[in-house]
């Protein structure tokens, strides 16, 4: 690959020549806000709820004891008969549903995933100001394809520990070495006369369950 | 191939009333929503300044950050390739696809691959490249060219889209359903079914990236539909072609751009999906990842002390949506994948100004300043336009061919009272932010000691109509 090496050297040499006489760039000022929200867990959770709903996610709140029943209800309501199950998902979350479980071990093929109605996952964290859920492939979340191919995604957020107010507060808590997926509402397009339509390729329906209190 | 120059192409576009109505509806809708999304953040000015400075620092030490990025991507299991120009990038990508034994690839919308005309090159090599963004699909099926950075099919209305789907889907794969109506929901569903077949069997995906983090080797793709996630996740091999200016130094820098990009672009607090990946991951996503770093004229732009600020662009398209010239002329008139105000300054720097269209682009503006005001990385587009006009005029010296092209573009705007009036009105509305001095090195001697006349609160034309007719 001598060619590739020379392209690398050529480009770097051009870059160096191009900026050789440029003045130093002024230091980056970070005097923007770390958060735009009051430091109050209830207010942050309320904002998360509101912003998720504004982007057409269906948001529910529950206490830990009622989680399994709510998961089962959401799946039944949407007519989901089969669910993809990521490794490490707490067994208790699915205790009340009679949907067929399709564990992702060994990995389901894309076609098998396409035949599954729903997926239930946890998350790495949620961002209130933007109405965003972040998945990092950790236990109970699984690989990225799991939350992409099935048409219904039921996502469980544990409050307050998994909820942050803002993007600047989220990044330090995430590991860039993991594949990350940020989800803000269900898949959507505005390509046709800017009319918003939900569900093009990702899940058409996003159900978010905020688990609070004990 | 001879692209028509801006005035010729714009002249034809303005005669197309459907196109003008589609564009007007679209740009005004996004424009109003954007203003609301931005108003939610009371530190917008500080975020904008930080974004500008992060990019300036990146550009000043671009060599360092590129080498750092390369090391981080390699350490995470990716392979980095360098391409000095379009031909080199196309060769690299085609060879990578051939090595997989595949003859089909699925693509995420990417300006960089459009810029190098990758699809055409792959086709010549016997490789079919499927665009998977809904708007790109509309453009590809319609054998058309994109006309907007963000909404490439902004020039098509629902009836036209239905006709394209009915006529063309069948020859590329699954045909459109019988009796397809023109409601956006049904059209999107037809696209979902048509493309799902391709996603599920795809072995090679091709993408660009919105950001590359030098510190960690992380690539970021921001999207809405999930087609990006499909292409980045399901195939076994992923090839990303990314302009060298897309690098940012640190992981933390994303906190600025992930706040400013979605709000400036689709006017959302956050776009529906953002994917971040660092090299390859066990058991999740592609097993092979190739990053192709593309120069293709960017180092020429970097060498221009006024023009290099165009490389700060994060392709949000806010400047297109406020531009009175873009709104009337449409994206095709700019003869480049980069239309609108950013296209008018980026294209002549990437391609040079030797062709008639490229020489006319710096004149395809009324210099109203609205583009500068909305730009989330504070690119002073009017300043660069004036600077490039000087360059074109200097180069035009002997044959006058370039000067003629330029004068034609300027007079196209001066001849169109509507465009000019819109420019003036916006200029009045934004006059508080106008520079007090003329931009450009030539102007400095003159304006260093004089203030520019302030713009009147009301354009003369409006005043005349109200008071004298
Ligand atoms: S020049 Fe500024 S406003 Fe225009 S697309 Fe680029 S970043 Fe956005």
């Amino acid at each position: 690959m001598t060619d590739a090496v020379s392209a690398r050297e050529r480009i770097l040499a051009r870059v160096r020549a191009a900026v050789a006489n440029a003045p130093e760039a002024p230091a980056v000022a970070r005097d923007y806000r770390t958060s735009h929200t009051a430091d109050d867990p209830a207010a942050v959770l309320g904002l998360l709820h509101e912003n998720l709903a504004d982007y057409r996610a269906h948001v529910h709140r529950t206490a830990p004891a009622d989680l399994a029943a709510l998961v089962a209800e959401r799946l039944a309501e949407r007519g989901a008969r089969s669910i993809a199950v990521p490794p490490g998902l707490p067994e208790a979350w699915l205790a009340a549903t009679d949907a067929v479980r399709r564990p992702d071990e060994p990995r389901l093929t894309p076609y098998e995933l396409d035949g599954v109605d729903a997926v239930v996952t946890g998350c790495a964290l949620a961002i209130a100001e933007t109405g965003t859920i972040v998945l990092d492939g950790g236990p109970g979340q699984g690989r990225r394809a799991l939350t992409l191919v099935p048409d219904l995604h039921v996502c469980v957020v544990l409050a307050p520990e998994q909820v942050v107010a803002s993007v600047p507060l989220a990044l330090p808590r995430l590991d860039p070495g993991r594949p990350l997926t940020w989800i803000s509402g269900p898949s959507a397009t505005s390509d046709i006369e800017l009319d918003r339509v939900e569900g093009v390729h990702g899940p058409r329906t996003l159900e978010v369950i905020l688990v609070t209190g004990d | 191939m001879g692209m028509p120059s801006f005035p010729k192409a714009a002249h034809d576009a303005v005669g197309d009333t459907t196109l003008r109505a589609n564009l007007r509806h679209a740009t005004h809708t996004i424009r109003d929503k954007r203003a609301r999304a931005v108003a939610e953040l009371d530190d917008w000015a500080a975020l904008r300044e930080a974004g500008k400075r992060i990019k300036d620092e990146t550009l000043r030490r671009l060599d360092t950050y590129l080498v750092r990025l390369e090391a981080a991507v390699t350490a995470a299991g990716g392979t980095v390739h360098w391409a000095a120009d379009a031909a080199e990038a196309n060769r690299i990508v085609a060879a990578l696809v051939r090595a997989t034994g595949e003859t089909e690839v699925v693509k995420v919308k990417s300006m960089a691959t459009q810029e190098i005309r990758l699809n055409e090159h792959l086709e010549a090599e016997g490789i079919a490249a499927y665009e998977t963004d809904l708007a790109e699909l509309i453009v590809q099926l319609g054998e058309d060219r994109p006309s907007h950075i963000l909404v490439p099919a902004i020039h098509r209305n629902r009836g036209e889209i239905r006709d394209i789907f009915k006529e063309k889907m069948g020859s590329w794969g699954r045909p459109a359903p019988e009796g397809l109506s023109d409601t956006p929901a049904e059209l999107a569903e037809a696209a979902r079914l048509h493309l799902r077949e391709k996603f599920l069997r795809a072995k090679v995906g091709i993408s660009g990236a919105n950001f590359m983090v030098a510190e960690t080797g992380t690539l970021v793709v921001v999207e809405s539909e999930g087609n990006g996630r499909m292409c980045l996740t399901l195939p076994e091999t992923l090839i990303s072609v990314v302009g060298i200016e897309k690098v940012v130094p640190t992981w933390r820098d994303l906190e600025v751009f992930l706040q400013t990009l979605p709000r400036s672009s689709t006017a959302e607090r956050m776009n529906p999906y953002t994917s971040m990946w660092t090299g390859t991951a066990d058991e999740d996503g592609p097993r092979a990842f190739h990053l192709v770093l593309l120069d293709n004229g960017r180092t020429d732009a970097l060498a221009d002390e006024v023009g290099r600020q165009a490389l700060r662009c994060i392709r949000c398209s806010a400047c297109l949506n406020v531009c009175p010239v873009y709104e009337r002329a449409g994206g095709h008139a700019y003869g480049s994948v980069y239309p609108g105000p950013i296209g008018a300054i980026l294209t002549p720097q990437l391609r040079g100004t030797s062709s008639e269209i490229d020489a006319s682009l710096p004149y395809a503006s009324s210099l109203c300043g609205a583009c500068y005001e909305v730009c989330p990385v504070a690119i002073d587009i009017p300043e660069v336009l004036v600077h490039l006009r000087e360059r074109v005029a200097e180069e035009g010296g002997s044959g006058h061919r370039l000067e003629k092209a330029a004068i034609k573009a300027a007079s196209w705007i001066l001849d169109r009272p509507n465009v000019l009036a819109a420019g003036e009105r916006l200029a009045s509305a934004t006059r508080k932010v106008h520079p007090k001095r003329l931009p450009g090195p030539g102007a400095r001697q003159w304006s260093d000691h004089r203030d520019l006349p302030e713009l009147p609160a009301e354009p003369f034309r409006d005043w005349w109509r109200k008071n004298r007719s």
Side-chain angles (χ1 to χ4, degrees):
Chain A
M1 300 272 282
T2 48
D3 237 24
V5 171
S6 72
R8 179 185 192 274
E9 295 319 317
R10 264 201 327 273
I11 294 170
L12 288 173
R14 281 192 215 159
V15 167
R16 286 175 191 131
V19 295
N21 297 316
E24 290 296 314
V28 178
R30 299 202 187 256
D31 48 7
Y32 47 84
R33 290 180 188 279
T34 309
S35 152
H36 301 79
T37 316
D39 190 15
D40 160 21
V44 172
L45 189 66
L47 186 64
L48 174 66
H49 189 145
E50 192 182 305
N51 284 339
L52 279 165
D54 195 30
Y55 282 180
R56 312 203 190 165
H58 302 270
V59 189
H60 316 268
R61 295 197 196 199
T62 188
D66 301 325
L67 176 59
L70 185 56
V71 169
E73 180 209 293
R74 296 327 304 155
L75 291 167
E77 177 114 333
R78 302 275 170 197
R81 299 171 162 278
S82 56
I83 41 171
V85 181
L89 190 82
E91 201 32 54
W93 294 5
L94 301 181
T97 177
D98 54 8
V100 176
R101 292 160 206 212
R102 302 293 308 274
D104 193 38
E105 255 170 1
R107 292 213 284 175
L108 299 163
T109 66
Y111 288 96
E112 284 170 336
L113 262 184
D114 195 36
V116 173
D117 296 330
V119 62
V120 178
T121 72
C123 69
L125 55 81
I127 306 168
E129 284 179 9
T130 56
T132 304
I133 283 158
V134 185
L135 306 184
D136 71 356
Q141 300 167 54
R143 62 193 167 104
R144 289 171 285 174
L146 287 186
T147 53
L148 173 62
V149 182
D151 207 26
L152 167 64
H153 179 192
V154 178
C155 184
V156 176
V157 181
L158 305 178
E161 62 268 33
Q162 288 184 326
V163 181
V164 299
S166 67
V167 171
L169 292 173
L171 285 163
R173 286 184 46 170
L174 294 169
D175 175 358
R178 289 170 174 271
L180 299 172
T181 305
W182 297 41
I183 298 174
S184 310
S187 155
T189 184
S190 301
D191 280 348
I192 302 164
E193 295 182 20
L194 299 177
D195 271 2
R196 192 175 165 104
V197 181
E198 265 90 54
V200 195
H201 305 299
R204 245 177 288 235
T205 309
L206 174 65
E207 300 262 359
V208 179
I209 301 180
L210 307 174
V211 182
T212 54
D214 22 45
Chain B
M1 280 198 327
M3 281 281 188
S5 66
F6 181 83
K8 166 78 179 69
H11 176 85
D12 297 348
V14 165
D16 182 342
T17 47
T18 311
L19 170 78
R20 289 191 57 180
N22 293 353
L23 273 174
R24 192 183 150 75
H25 169 66
T27 55
H28 281 252
T29 308
I30 311 183
R31 192 192 290 188
D32 298 345
K33 276 176 64 191
R34 177 202 158 272
R36 286 198 295 274
V38 166
E40 278 188 10
L41 300 184
D42 57 6
D43 57 342
W44 187 259
L47 284 166
R48 183 180 190 239
E49 182 63 22
K52 168 184 191 252
R53 292 200 192 180
I54 290 168
K55 283 289 190 171
D56 279 346
E57 160 62 21
T58 312
L59 293 172
R60 180 63 186 80
R61 267 176 252 287
L62 189 56
D63 53 336
T64 307
Y65 292 120
L66 288 172
V67 169
R68 198 169 290 171
L69 173 77
E70 177 185 50
V73 170
T74 309
T79 309
V80 177
H81 310 259
W82 300 71
D85 56 26
E88 198 159 31
N90 286 329
R91 263 202 313 276
I92 293 169
V93 176
L96 288 170
V97 177
R98 264 202 313 273
T100 66
E102 295 296 315
T103 54
E104 275 181 13
V105 300
V106 286
K107 284 191 66 213
V108 194
K109 173 170 160 324
S110 134
M111 309 289 306
T113 61
Q114 275 173 30
E115 176 190 320
I116 63 174
R117 303 174 65 83
L118 178 66
N119 291 7
E120 287 86 339
H121 182 84
L122 290 177
E123 194 185 327
E125 300 259 332
I127 298 163
Y130 298 118
E131 292 295 346
T132 64
D133 173 78
L134 177 54
E136 288 289 349
L137 177 74
I138 295 166
V139 168
Q140 188 175 48
L141 292 175
E143 291 165 37
D144 198 354
R145 283 179 290 133
S147 64
H148 190 281
I149 297 180
L150 179 75
V151 214
I154 200 169
H155 57 294
R156 295 287 196 184
N157 65 27
R158 60 186 73 192
E160 295 176 286
I161 295 169
R162 185 207 36 214
D163 295 345
I164 291 170
F165 280 10
K166 275 168 76 167
E167 227 173 274
K168 297 286 175 55
M169 268 186 174
S171 50
W172 286 80
R174 183 176 178 139
E178 281 297 315
L180 178 67
S181 83
D182 67 357
T183 63
E186 271 195 44
L187 294 171
E189 181 66 19
R192 178 186 178 100
L193 295 171
H194 177 80
L195 285 173
R196 185 146 295 220
E197 282 191 344
K198 297 193 177 2
F199 289 135
L200 295 179
R201 66 162 188 253
K203 296 279 183 284
V204 183
I206 295 182
S207 81
N210 294 88
F211 306 99
M212 308 184 283
V213 182
E215 177 186 38
T216 59
T218 308
L219 270 73
V220 182
V221 163
V222 163
E223 52 131 2
S224 293
E225 296 170 9
N227 66 303
R229 291 180 64 195
M230 290 275 180
C231 296
L232 298 169
T233 311
L234 294 182
E236 288 164 9
T237 301
L238 171 62
I239 304 166
S240 301
V241 182
V242 189
I244 51 175
E245 83 285 13
K246 291 293 179 82
V247 69
V248 297
T250 68
W251 176 246
R252 185 181 176 189
D253 294 331
L254 293 177
E255 74 189 14
V256 173
F257 300 112
L258 288 179
Q259 292 191 81
T260 53
L261 175 58
R263 287 178 202 262
S264 300
S265 175
T266 47
E268 293 167 302
R269 296 185 191 101
M270 188 65 85
N271 47 288
Y273 295 134
T274 298
S275 296
M276 301 182 182
W277 72 100
T278 305
T280 54
D282 292 340
E283 302 289 306
D284 187 349
R287 277 172 295 176
F289 168 55
H290 296 273
L291 171 60
V292 181
L293 293 172
L294 179 70
D295 179 346
N296 203 34
R298 285 160 177 76
T299 46
D300 293 332
L302 187 63
D304 186 316
E305 61 182 85
V306 178
R308 67 166 67 106
Q309 59 182 306
L311 297 176
R312 294 205 294 256
C313 176
I314 56 172
R315 312 276 189 267
C316 72
S317 73
C319 58
L320 277 62
N321 300 328
V322 296
C323 177
V325 175
Y326 173 84
E327 183 188 323
R328 284 160 183 80
H332 291 163
Y334 296 79
S336 154
V337 298
Y338 304 107
I342 181 61
I345 62 169
L346 196 57
T347 307
Q349 295 200 79
L350 295 180
R351 300 201 296 218
T353 47
S354 58
S355 78
E356 203 180 324
I357 175 99
D358 294 338
S360 67
L361 284 175
Y363 294 83
S365 163
S366 65
L367 293 183
C368 74
C371 48
Y372 170 57
E373 205 196 345
V374 295
C375 178
V377 284
I379 300 172
D380 193 340
I381 296 176
E383 180 189 20
V384 181
L385 285 167
V386 171
H387 169 74
L388 292 174
R389 286 179 186 187
E390 281 174 14
R391 201 162 103 186
V392 169
E394 275 164 26
E395 286 168 5
S398 55
H400 297 298
R401 194 179 66 84
L402 295 172
E403 261 174 292
K404 270 203 314 232
I407 288 163
K408 265 199 292 179
S411 45
W412 180 84
I413 290 160
L414 292 171
D415 281 352
R416 256 142 209 89
N418 289 336
V419 175
L420 187 62
E424 283 173 358
R425 217 162 287 136
L426 268 170
S428 293
T430 62
R431 76 205 144 105
K432 275 191 238 50
V433 300
H434 281 198
K436 288 275 183 288
R437 297 186 326 184
L438 279 175
R444 219 148 268 163
Q445 283 98 324
W446 189 83
S447 65
D448 258 358
H449 304 286
R450 299 169 179 84
D451 277 353
L452 282 179
E454 277 196 35
L455 279 154
E458 196 175 25
F460 175 71
R461 256 170 250 260
D462 288 2
W463 178 88
W464 180 263
R465 205 171 301 120
K466 245 189 276 168
N467 295 291
R468 289 285 180 280
S469 57

